[in-house]
Amino acid sequence: MSASEQGTIDFTVMYATHNAFRRDLERLRSAAASGRAGEPSVKAGWENFKTQLLIHHSVEDAELWPRLRRAVEGKPRELALTDAMEAEHADLDPLLASVDAALAGRAGTLADQVEKLVATLDDHLTHEEDTALPLIQSMLTVADWRGFTDGMRRRQGVKGASVYVPWVLDGRPDTDRATFLSAMPAPVRVLNRLFWEGGYRKRQLWG
């Protein structure tokens, strides 16, 4: 292993993204309980949540789990974990569709559908944090992880990053903001401060 491949993988951005998913679902749960789910700001927040989740999971499926699968070849237990991660992603798709249907008044009770989504997504995120991330830390290199994060940057592009960065920071305490921003390249921090956060706030997602 070369010197560039050695070191500890930094999961700061991964944990911050997971926390943003949890935060948004709490906002959706609150909106459903208070009868605000039909408001445009709530619907816009929900649409952005789905976009961020799709990007996150599709890049994991394309760039992260295949790398991990190659690294654990011949290890049945570890291979089963990568299978579980992909299967859990697929399990979320019908739950998202059920929330969409409830929001549109086509089927189901919104509060019930939101609770199912909250429970399933939180179970997945916790499973990933407790088991997959430690396996990634032990089996993948920093270069492998960089391949995944580079794939994420390509998928988002500048336009996507201009929403993703302030979305993660939304409502976070100063210490968490500082930790997340320290993991971002300097140009991203500048763009976020000068342009992105202001544009994000104007959208007033979730009201």
Short mmCIF file of all heavy atoms in Angstrom, two decimals, residues 61-95:
data_model
loop_
_atom_site.label_atom_id
_atom_site.label_comp_id
_atom_site.label_asym_id
_atom_site.label_seq_id
_atom_site.Cartn_x
_atom_site.Cartn_y
_atom_site.Cartn_z
N ASP A 61 -24.44 3.01 -4.25
CA ASP A 61 -24.63 1.76 -5.00
C ASP A 61 -23.66 1.65 -6.16
O ASP A 61 -23.22 0.55 -6.50
CB ASP A 61 -26.07 1.69 -5.52
CG ASP A 61 -27.09 1.43 -4.43
OD1 ASP A 61 -26.69 1.00 -3.33
OD2 ASP A 61 -28.29 1.67 -4.67
N ALA A 62 -23.32 2.78 -6.77
CA ALA A 62 -22.44 2.75 -7.94
C ALA A 62 -20.96 2.80 -7.58
O ALA A 62 -20.13 2.19 -8.28
CB ALA A 62 -22.78 3.93 -8.86
N GLU A 63 -20.62 3.49 -6.50
CA GLU A 63 -19.21 3.77 -6.24
C GLU A 63 -18.66 3.17 -4.93
O GLU A 63 -17.46 2.93 -4.83
CB GLU A 63 -18.98 5.30 -6.18
CG GLU A 63 -19.37 6.05 -7.44
CD GLU A 63 -18.38 5.85 -8.58
OE1 GLU A 63 -17.30 5.27 -8.33
OE2 GLU A 63 -18.70 6.28 -9.70
N LEU A 64 -19.52 2.97 -3.94
CA LEU A 64 -19.02 2.53 -2.64
C LEU A 64 -19.17 1.03 -2.43
O LEU A 64 -18.18 0.33 -2.13
CB LEU A 64 -19.75 3.29 -1.53
CG LEU A 64 -19.29 2.97 -0.09
CD1 LEU A 64 -17.80 3.21 0.08
CD2 LEU A 64 -20.09 3.79 0.92
N TRP A 65 -20.40 0.51 -2.56
CA TRP A 65 -20.59 -0.91 -2.29
C TRP A 65 -19.81 -1.80 -3.24
O TRP A 65 -19.28 -2.84 -2.80
CB TRP A 65 -22.08 -1.27 -2.28
CG TRP A 65 -22.90 -0.41 -1.38
CD1 TRP A 65 -24.09 0.19 -1.66
CD2 TRP A 65 -22.61 -0.03 -0.02
NE1 TRP A 65 -24.56 0.92 -0.59
CE2 TRP A 65 -23.66 0.80 0.44
CE3 TRP A 65 -21.56 -0.30 0.86
CZ2 TRP A 65 -23.69 1.35 1.71
CZ3 TRP A 65 -21.57 0.26 2.14
CH2 TRP A 65 -22.63 1.06 2.55
N PRO A 66 -19.67 -1.47 -4.53
CA PRO A 66 -18.81 -2.32 -5.39
C PRO A 66 -17.36 -2.35 -4.92
O PRO A 66 -16.72 -3.41 -4.98
CB PRO A 66 -18.95 -1.67 -6.77
CG PRO A 66 -20.28 -1.00 -6.74
CD PRO A 66 -20.42 -0.47 -5.34
N ARG A 67 -16.83 -1.23 -4.46
CA ARG A 67 -15.47 -1.22 -3.94
C ARG A 67 -15.35 -2.11 -2.71
O ARG A 67 -14.38 -2.86 -2.54
CB ARG A 67 -15.03 0.22 -3.59
CG ARG A 67 -14.67 1.08 -4.78
CD ARG A 67 -14.24 2.48 -4.36
NE ARG A 67 -13.59 3.19 -5.44
CZ ARG A 67 -14.23 3.82 -6.42
NH1 ARG A 67 -15.55 3.83 -6.44
NH2 ARG A 67 -13.55 4.43 -7.38
N LEU A 68 -16.34 -1.99 -1.82
CA LEU A 68 -16.31 -2.81 -0.62
C LEU A 68 -16.47 -4.29 -0.97
O LEU A 68 -15.80 -5.15 -0.38
CB LEU A 68 -17.42 -2.37 0.34
CG LEU A 68 -17.45 -3.07 1.70
CD1 LEU A 68 -16.13 -2.88 2.44
CD2 LEU A 68 -18.63 -2.57 2.54
N ARG A 69 -17.33 -4.58 -1.93
CA ARG A 69 -17.54 -5.97 -2.33
C ARG A 69 -16.24 -6.59 -2.84
O ARG A 69 -15.91 -7.74 -2.51
CB ARG A 69 -18.62 -6.03 -3.41
CG ARG A 69 -19.08 -7.44 -3.74
CD ARG A 69 -20.16 -7.40 -4.82
NE ARG A 69 -21.34 -6.68 -4.36
CZ ARG A 69 -22.26 -7.21 -3.57
NH1 ARG A 69 -22.14 -8.45 -3.16
NH2 ARG A 69 -23.30 -6.50 -3.20
N ARG A 70 -15.48 -5.85 -3.64
CA ARG A 70 -14.20 -6.37 -4.13
C ARG A 70 -13.22 -6.59 -2.98
O ARG A 70 -12.46 -7.55 -2.98
CB ARG A 70 -13.61 -5.40 -5.16
CG ARG A 70 -14.37 -5.37 -6.48
CD ARG A 70 -13.59 -4.63 -7.55
NE ARG A 70 -13.44 -3.21 -7.26
CZ ARG A 70 -14.31 -2.28 -7.65
NH1 ARG A 70 -15.41 -2.64 -8.33
NH2 ARG A 70 -14.10 -1.02 -7.38
N ALA A 71 -13.24 -5.68 -2.00
CA ALA A 71 -12.29 -5.78 -0.89
C ALA A 71 -12.57 -6.96 0.02
O ALA A 71 -11.64 -7.48 0.66
CB ALA A 71 -12.30 -4.48 -0.09
N VAL A 72 -13.84 -7.38 0.11
CA VAL A 72 -14.20 -8.47 1.03
C VAL A 72 -14.50 -9.76 0.28
O VAL A 72 -15.12 -10.68 0.84
CB VAL A 72 -15.39 -8.08 1.93
CG1 VAL A 72 -15.05 -6.85 2.76
CG2 VAL A 72 -16.66 -7.84 1.11
N GLU A 73 -14.06 -9.86 -0.96
CA GLU A 73 -14.29 -11.07 -1.75
C GLU A 73 -13.80 -12.30 -0.98
O GLU A 73 -12.70 -12.31 -0.43
CB GLU A 73 -13.58 -10.97 -3.09
CG GLU A 73 -13.87 -12.12 -4.03
CD GLU A 73 -13.22 -11.92 -5.39
OE1 GLU A 73 -12.55 -10.90 -5.59
OE2 GLU A 73 -13.39 -12.82 -6.25
N GLY A 74 -14.64 -13.32 -0.95
CA GLY A 74 -14.28 -14.54 -0.23
C GLY A 74 -14.64 -14.53 1.24
O GLY A 74 -14.39 -15.52 1.95
N LYS A 75 -15.26 -13.44 1.71
CA LYS A 75 -15.68 -13.34 3.11
C LYS A 75 -17.21 -13.29 3.15
O LYS A 75 -17.80 -12.24 2.98
CB LYS A 75 -15.09 -12.08 3.76
CG LYS A 75 -13.56 -12.03 3.77
CD LYS A 75 -13.07 -10.71 4.37
CE LYS A 75 -11.55 -10.61 4.32
NZ LYS A 75 -10.90 -11.57 5.24
N PRO A 76 -17.87 -14.43 3.38
CA PRO A 76 -19.34 -14.49 3.25
C PRO A 76 -20.08 -13.49 4.14
O PRO A 76 -21.05 -12.87 3.69
CB PRO A 76 -19.66 -15.93 3.64
CG PRO A 76 -18.41 -16.69 3.35
CD PRO A 76 -17.28 -15.75 3.65
N ARG A 77 -19.66 -13.35 5.39
CA ARG A 77 -20.38 -12.45 6.30
C ARG A 77 -20.30 -11.02 5.81
O ARG A 77 -21.30 -10.28 5.83
CB ARG A 77 -19.81 -12.57 7.71
CG ARG A 77 -20.54 -11.72 8.73
CD ARG A 77 -19.93 -11.89 10.12
NE ARG A 77 -20.02 -13.27 10.57
CZ ARG A 77 -19.51 -13.71 11.72
NH1 ARG A 77 -18.86 -12.89 12.51
NH2 ARG A 77 -19.64 -14.98 12.06
N GLU A 78 -19.12 -10.61 5.38
CA GLU A 78 -18.94 -9.23 4.92
C GLU A 78 -19.67 -9.00 3.60
O GLU A 78 -20.24 -7.91 3.38
CB GLU A 78 -17.45 -8.92 4.78
CG GLU A 78 -16.71 -8.79 6.10
CD GLU A 78 -16.36 -10.14 6.73
OE1 GLU A 78 -16.68 -11.19 6.12
OE2 GLU A 78 -15.74 -10.14 7.82
N LEU A 79 -19.66 -10.00 2.72
CA LEU A 79 -20.41 -9.87 1.46
C LEU A 79 -21.90 -9.76 1.73
O LEU A 79 -22.61 -8.99 1.06
CB LEU A 79 -20.13 -11.07 0.55
CG LEU A 79 -18.76 -11.08 -0.14
CD1 LEU A 79 -18.51 -12.44 -0.78
CD2 LEU A 79 -18.68 -9.97 -1.19
N ALA A 80 -22.39 -10.49 2.73
CA ALA A 80 -23.81 -10.41 3.08
C ALA A 80 -24.17 -9.00 3.55
O ALA A 80 -25.29 -8.52 3.31
CB ALA A 80 -24.14 -11.44 4.15
N LEU A 81 -23.24 -8.34 4.22
CA LEU A 81 -23.51 -6.98 4.67
C LEU A 81 -23.65 -6.02 3.50
O LEU A 81 -24.54 -5.17 3.50
CB LEU A 81 -22.40 -6.51 5.61
CG LEU A 81 -22.50 -5.07 6.11
CD1 LEU A 81 -23.81 -4.85 6.85
CD2 LEU A 81 -21.30 -4.71 6.99
N THR A 82 -22.80 -6.16 2.49
CA THR A 82 -22.93 -5.29 1.32
C THR A 82 -24.25 -5.56 0.60
O THR A 82 -24.90 -4.63 0.11
CB THR A 82 -21.75 -5.46 0.34
OG1 THR A 82 -21.73 -6.80 -0.18
CG2 THR A 82 -20.42 -5.18 1.05
N ASP A 83 -24.65 -6.83 0.55
CA ASP A 83 -25.96 -7.15 -0.04
C ASP A 83 -27.07 -6.48 0.75
O ASP A 83 -28.04 -5.96 0.17
CB ASP A 83 -26.18 -8.67 -0.02
CG ASP A 83 -25.28 -9.42 -1.00
OD1 ASP A 83 -24.77 -8.78 -1.94
OD2 ASP A 83 -25.12 -10.64 -0.82
N ALA A 84 -26.96 -6.49 2.08
CA ALA A 84 -28.00 -5.89 2.93
C ALA A 84 -28.09 -4.40 2.71
O ALA A 84 -29.20 -3.84 2.67
CB ALA A 84 -27.71 -6.19 4.40
N MET A 85 -26.95 -3.73 2.54
CA MET A 85 -26.98 -2.29 2.32
C MET A 85 -27.75 -1.96 1.04
O MET A 85 -28.60 -1.05 1.02
CB MET A 85 -25.55 -1.74 2.22
CG MET A 85 -24.76 -1.74 3.51
SD MET A 85 -25.44 -0.64 4.78
CE MET A 85 -26.19 -1.84 5.90
N GLU A 86 -27.48 -2.70 -0.02
CA GLU A 86 -28.17 -2.43 -1.28
C GLU A 86 -29.66 -2.78 -1.18
O GLU A 86 -30.52 -2.06 -1.71
CB GLU A 86 -27.51 -3.23 -2.40
CG GLU A 86 -26.09 -2.76 -2.71
CD GLU A 86 -25.40 -3.60 -3.75
OE1 GLU A 86 -25.77 -4.79 -3.91
OE2 GLU A 86 -24.48 -3.09 -4.41
N ALA A 87 -29.98 -3.88 -0.48
CA ALA A 87 -31.38 -4.27 -0.33
C ALA A 87 -32.15 -3.25 0.49
O ALA A 87 -33.32 -2.95 0.19
CB ALA A 87 -31.46 -5.64 0.33
N GLU A 88 -31.52 -2.69 1.51
CA GLU A 88 -32.19 -1.69 2.34
C GLU A 88 -32.46 -0.42 1.54
O GLU A 88 -33.48 0.24 1.75
CB GLU A 88 -31.35 -1.40 3.58
CG GLU A 88 -31.38 -2.55 4.59
CD GLU A 88 -30.36 -2.40 5.70
OE1 GLU A 88 -29.81 -1.29 5.88
OE2 GLU A 88 -30.12 -3.40 6.40
N HIS A 89 -31.57 -0.07 0.63
CA HIS A 89 -31.85 1.06 -0.26
C HIS A 89 -33.12 0.79 -1.06
O HIS A 89 -33.99 1.66 -1.18
CB HIS A 89 -30.69 1.28 -1.22
CG HIS A 89 -29.48 1.90 -0.60
ND1 HIS A 89 -28.33 2.19 -1.33
CD2 HIS A 89 -29.22 2.30 0.67
CE1 HIS A 89 -27.44 2.74 -0.52
NE2 HIS A 89 -27.96 2.80 0.69
N ALA A 90 -33.22 -0.41 -1.62
CA ALA A 90 -34.38 -0.75 -2.44
C ALA A 90 -35.67 -0.76 -1.61
O ALA A 90 -36.74 -0.41 -2.10
CB ALA A 90 -34.17 -2.11 -3.10
N ASP A 91 -35.56 -1.16 -0.34
CA ASP A 91 -36.74 -1.20 0.53
C ASP A 91 -37.35 0.18 0.75
O ASP A 91 -38.54 0.30 1.06
CB ASP A 91 -36.37 -1.79 1.90
CG ASP A 91 -36.11 -3.28 1.83
OD1 ASP A 91 -36.52 -3.93 0.85
OD2 ASP A 91 -35.47 -3.81 2.78
N LEU A 92 -36.53 1.22 0.61
CA LEU A 92 -37.01 2.58 0.86
C LEU A 92 -37.87 3.12 -0.27
O LEU A 92 -38.73 3.98 -0.05
CB LEU A 92 -35.83 3.52 1.11
CG LEU A 92 -35.11 3.32 2.44
CD1 LEU A 92 -33.73 3.98 2.40
CD2 LEU A 92 -35.94 3.88 3.58
N ASP A 93 -37.65 2.64 -1.48
CA ASP A 93 -38.35 3.20 -2.64
C ASP A 93 -39.87 3.14 -2.51
O ASP A 93 -40.55 4.16 -2.73
CB ASP A 93 -37.89 2.50 -3.93
CG ASP A 93 -36.44 2.81 -4.26
OD1 ASP A 93 -35.92 3.83 -3.77
OD2 ASP A 93 -35.82 2.02 -5.01
N PRO A 94 -40.46 1.99 -2.16
CA PRO A 94 -41.93 1.98 -2.03
C PRO A 94 -42.44 2.84 -0.88
O PRO A 94 -43.58 3.34 -0.94
CB PRO A 94 -42.26 0.50 -1.81
CG PRO A 94 -40.99 -0.13 -1.36
CD PRO A 94 -39.90 0.65 -2.01
N LEU A 95 -41.63 3.03 0.15
CA LEU A 95 -42.05 3.88 1.26
C LEU A 95 -42.09 5.34 0.84
O LEU A 95 -42.99 6.09 1.23
CB LEU A 95 -41.12 3.69 2.45
CG LEU A 95 -41.11 2.29 3.06
CD1 LEU A 95 -40.08 2.21 4.19
CD2 LEU A 95 -42.49 1.93 3.59
#
